[in-house]
C-alpha cells in the first residue's frame, strides 16, 4: 500500500486563543505545533504570508495594524473669535441690566408736582435749574423712628431746607434759600382747588409751601428772584436718613464740634462717618449757632455735596448690591415734578458732586439784613446780578455778604 503524505501545515506564530497577542497559553501552542486540531475557531481568516504578524489589531492573518486617523486633524481654537463673542455677550448683559434698572427706578419715582399749574413764569435761561427741598415730612415713620430721629410728631409737612441748584457749562452753583427769608407770596391759583388767591406781601418763604405746597413754593421763588425753575425735587426725613444708611454712612469733616438737644446733634470736630440719624441731626441743627439758619444752610450744602460725591461713584452705580438699596431708600420718599426723568435726577446729583469737587460754587442767597419776625431780607441788587449770571450761563462772581 502506498503511503500518502499529509501536506505540511504552515506554522503559525504563538498566539492566544483571543488572537490579540495577550494571555499566552503554552499548552495551546504546543498542541498547534503537534498538528492537534482542537476544533477551536477564533474567527480569524488567515491569508497569505504577507499578512502574518503585521502589527496589532484586526486584519487578515495577524494582529490588526494600528489605526491611522483619516483626514485633517482637529483645528486649534480661535481665541480671537471666542473673545469677541464673549465681549458681545457681556455688553448685551450689562446693557440689559442697565435698561432694567432704569425702567424699575423710573417706575418708582413719585412724579406728583405739576409745574404746568404755576402761572406767570419767567423765561427760560441757559442753565438747568432745580429747586431742591428737604421737608419735615414724617410720612411712613413709626413712633419709635420719630423718637430716634428727634423729628417730633407735628402733623402735615413744612420745608426744612430749600436751595436752588443751577447746572451750567460755566460751572455749577448751589444757592441756599433761608426758610426765614422775608418775601412776597404772589397771587396764585390753588393747585388743588383751582381758586385764585391774591398776593400776600411780607411773609416768610416757608409759608408758601404750607399754604399750597410745591407749586406755590416754586411760584414764590420765581416771583422773588426772576429765575425760572426747571425741575423740583423734595425728600422727607425718613428718605434722607435711609439713603445715608444705604450708602453705609457719609464721611464728613466737621470744622467745629457742636451739640443741640432739639435735633439730637452731638459732634466732635474732625473727620468722621455719619449714619442716617447723625446726618439728619447735622443738617437740621440751627439753635447751636450764632448765625442760626444761615449756618444751617451752609451745613446742608456741605453735607449734600458729600452725599452726592459718595453716591455718584462707580462703586455705587456699577454695584447692584449698593445701587438698588440706595435707589430704593431714596425713591420711597422722593417727590419730583412730572417732567423730571431719572436722567435729570442723575444730572442733579452729578452737578452737586461737581460742586464738592471744586467745579462750581455754593453760597447763601445774598442777605442785606434783618426783617420783621426774626426774618432775613435779601440784598436785591446782588440777587438780580446773581440771577442774570445764572440765566446767561456766566461764571457766578456774586458773594453772599454774610
Amino acid at each position: 500500500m502506498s503511503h500518502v503524505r499529509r501536506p505540511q501545515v504552515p506554522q503559525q506564530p504563538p498566539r492566544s486563543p483571543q488572537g490579540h497577542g495577550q494571555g499566552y497559553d503554552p499548552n495551546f501552542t504546543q498542541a498547534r505545533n503537534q498538528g492537534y486540531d482542537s476544533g477551536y475557531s477564533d474567527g480569524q481568516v488567515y491569508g497569505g504570508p504577507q499578512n502574518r504578524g503585521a502589527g496589532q489589531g484586526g486584519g487578515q492573518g495577524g494582529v490588526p495594524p494600528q489605526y491611522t486617523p483619516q483626514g485633517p486633524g482637529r483645528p486649534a481654537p480661535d481665541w480671537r473669535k471666542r473673545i469677541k463673542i464673549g465681549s458681545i455677550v457681556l455688553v448685551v448683559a450689562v446693557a440689559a441690566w442697565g435698561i432694567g434698572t432704569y425702567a424699575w427706578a423710573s417706575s418708582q419715582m413719585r412724579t406728583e408736582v405739576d409745574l404746568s399749574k404755576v402761572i406767570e413764569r419767567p423765561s427760560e435761561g441757559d442753565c438747568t435749574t432745580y429747586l431742591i427741598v428737604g421737608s419735615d415730612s414724617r410720612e411712613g415713620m413709626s413712633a419709635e423712628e420719630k423718637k430716634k430721629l428727634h423729628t417730633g410728631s407735628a402733623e402735615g409737612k413744612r420745608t426744612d431746607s430749600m436751595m436752588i441748584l443751577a447746572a451750567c457749562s460755566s460751572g455749577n452753583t448751589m444757592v441756599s434759600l433761608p426758610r426765614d427769608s422775608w418775601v412776597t407770596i404772589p397771587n396764585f391759583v390753588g393747585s388743588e382747588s383751582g381758586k385764585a388767591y391774591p398776593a400776600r406781601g411780607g411773609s416768610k418763604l416757608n409759608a408758601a409751601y404750607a399754604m399750597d405746597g410745591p407749586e406755590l413754593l416754586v411760584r414764590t421763588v420765581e416771583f422773588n428772584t426772576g429765575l425760572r425753575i426747571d425741575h423740583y425735587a423734595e425728600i422727607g426725613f425718613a428718605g434722607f436718613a435711609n439713603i445715608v444708611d444705604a450708602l453705609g454712612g457719609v464721611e464728613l469733616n466737621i470744622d467745629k464740634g457742636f451739640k443741640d438737644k432739639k435735633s439730637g446733634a452731638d459732634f466732635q470736630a474732625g473727620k468722621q462717618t455719619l449714619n442716617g440719624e447723625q446726618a439728619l441731626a447735622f443738617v437740621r441743627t440751627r439753635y447751636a449757632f450764632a448765625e442760626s439758619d444761615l449756618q444751617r444752610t451752609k451745613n446742608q450744602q456741605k453735607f449734600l455735596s458729600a452725599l452726592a460725591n459718595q453716591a455718584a461713584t462707580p462703586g455705587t452705580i456699577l454695584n447692584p448690591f449698593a445701587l438698588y438699596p440706595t435707589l430704593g431708600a431714596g425713591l420711597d420718599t422722593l417727590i419730583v415734578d412730572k417732567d423730571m426723568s431719572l436722567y435729570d435726577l442723575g444730572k442733579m446729583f452729578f452737578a452737586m458732586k461737581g460742586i464738592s469737587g471744586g467745579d462750581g460754587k455754593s453760597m447763601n442767597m445774598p442777605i442785606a439784613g434783618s426783617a420783621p419776625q426774626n426774618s432775613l431780607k435779601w440784598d436785591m441788587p446782588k440777587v438780580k446780578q446773581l440771577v442774570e449770571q445764572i440765566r446767561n450761563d456766566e461764571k457766578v462772581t456774586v458773594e453772599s455778604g454774610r
Side-chain angles (χ1 to χ4, degrees):
M1 177 181 292
S2 62
H3 296 279
V4 179
R5 178 177 292 183
R6 177 179 291 184
Q8 295 293 324
V9 178
Q11 298 294 318
Q12 299 293 327
R15 296 167 58 247
S16 69
Q18 288 79 11
H20 296 286
Q22 295 182 358
Y24 177 76
D25 186 348
N27 296 327
F28 175 81
T29 304
Q30 183 179 4
R32 292 295 293 270
N33 290 338
Q34 295 175 354
Y36 172 75
D37 187 0
S38 66
Y40 174 80
S41 172
D42 59 5
Q44 299 291 335
V45 177
Y46 297 100
Q50 70 272 16
N51 290 329
R52 294 175 186 156
Q56 297 180 0
Q60 293 182 350
V63 181
Q66 291 183 349
Y67 170 74
T68 302
Q70 301 297 317
R74 184 178 181 180
D78 188 345
W79 290 108
R80 184 177 297 178
K81 184 178 180 181
R82 291 187 179 187
I83 292 173
K84 182 178 180 180
I85 294 174
S87 299
I88 293 174
V89 172
L90 178 61
V91 169
V92 171
V94 171
W97 173 77
I99 293 172
T101 300
Y102 189 93
W104 169 80
S106 296
S107 68
Q108 300 299 307
M109 292 177 64
R110 297 173 57 181
T111 53
E112 300 175 5
V113 179
D114 189 357
L115 295 184
S116 67
K117 294 181 178 180
V118 180
I119 64 173
E120 301 175 6
R121 309 195 67 187
S123 60
E124 294 183 358
D126 294 331
C127 301
T128 302
T129 55
Y130 302 83
L131 181 59
I132 304 172
V133 174
S135 75
D136 63 1
S137 171
R138 297 152 178 85
E139 181 180 358
M141 295 176 65
S142 65
E144 183 179 352
E145 288 173 325
K146 292 177 184 178
K147 182 178 180 181
K148 177 183 177 182
L149 298 177
H150 300 273
T151 66
S153 299
E155 295 298 327
K157 60 180 182 179
R158 296 162 296 181
T159 51
D160 207 57
S161 62
M162 293 164 283
M163 58 188 70
I164 295 172
L165 173 65
C168 308
S169 59
S170 60
N172 304 318
T173 303
M174 186 182 291
V175 184
S176 284
L177 309 175
R179 69 177 193 174
D180 292 338
S181 297
W182 192 248
V183 297
T184 296
I185 297 179
N187 62 302
F188 67 98
V189 176
S191 58
E192 298 296 334
S193 65
K195 182 180 177 180
Y197 294 89
R200 178 179 172 181
S203 297
K204 290 184 178 182
L205 180 59
N206 63 345
Y209 185 96
M211 290 172 61
D212 197 54
E215 287 84 1
L216 181 55
L217 178 60
V218 170
R219 162 81 170 134
T220 302
V221 170
E222 289 185 342
F223 180 85
N224 286 273
T225 63
L227 183 67
R228 185 184 180 96
I229 300 300
D230 296 313
H231 293 293
Y232 177 93
E234 174 191 327
I235 192 164
F237 284 159
F240 181 80
N242 289 341
I243 288 177
V244 175
D245 286 335
L247 287 170
V250 173
E251 187 176 79
L252 196 69
N253 187 26
I254 298 178
D255 298 325
K256 185 178 180 181
F258 59 90
K259 292 183 179 182
D260 181 34
K261 289 183 178 180
K262 289 191 175 183
S263 67
D266 186 0
F267 298 104
Q268 302 294 322
K271 185 176 291 186
Q272 51 206 282
T273 299
L274 276 58
N275 60 26
E277 178 183 350
Q278 294 169 324
L280 192 57
F282 181 81
V283 299
R284 294 185 62 221
T285 298
R286 62 184 300 196
Y287 296 106
F289 311 121
E291 290 185 298
S292 187
D293 205 30
L294 291 178
Q295 180 60 45
R296 179 171 70 164
T297 56
K298 293 177 183 178
N299 286 347
Q300 290 169 349
Q301 289 179 346
K302 183 176 183 176
F303 186 84
L304 283 180
S305 294
L307 173 65
N309 189 57
Q310 186 164 325
T313 61
T316 299
I317 296 174
L318 299 180
N319 180 2
F321 297 103
L323 178 63
Y324 281 96
T326 302
L327 284 175
L331 294 176
D332 281 347
T333 60
L334 181 67
I335 298 174
V336 298
D337 66 273
K338 293 182 180 296
D339 294 327
M340 174 87 97
S341 67
L342 194 62
Y343 175 74
D344 294 319
L345 188 63
K347 284 179 60 178
M348 184 185 80
F349 267 93
F350 275 98
M352 288 192 292
K353 179 181 179 180
I355 291 174
S356 68
D359 182 22
K361 182 175 184 176
S362 60
M363 59 183 291
N364 276 319
M365 185 63 80
I367 301 298
S370 299
Q373 302 178 26
N374 295 321
S375 59
L376 299 169
K377 183 180 179 181
W378 291 355
D379 187 332
M380 292 312 298
K382 285 187 175 182
V383 170
K384 184 177 180 180
Q385 183 184 0
L386 171 64
V387 169
E388 285 302 309
Q389 290 177 340
I390 292 175
R391 289 186 62 179
N392 298 327
D393 198 355
E394 300 172 356
K395 183 177 180 180
V396 172
T397 59
V398 177
E399 300 295 334
S400 298
R402 287 183 63 177

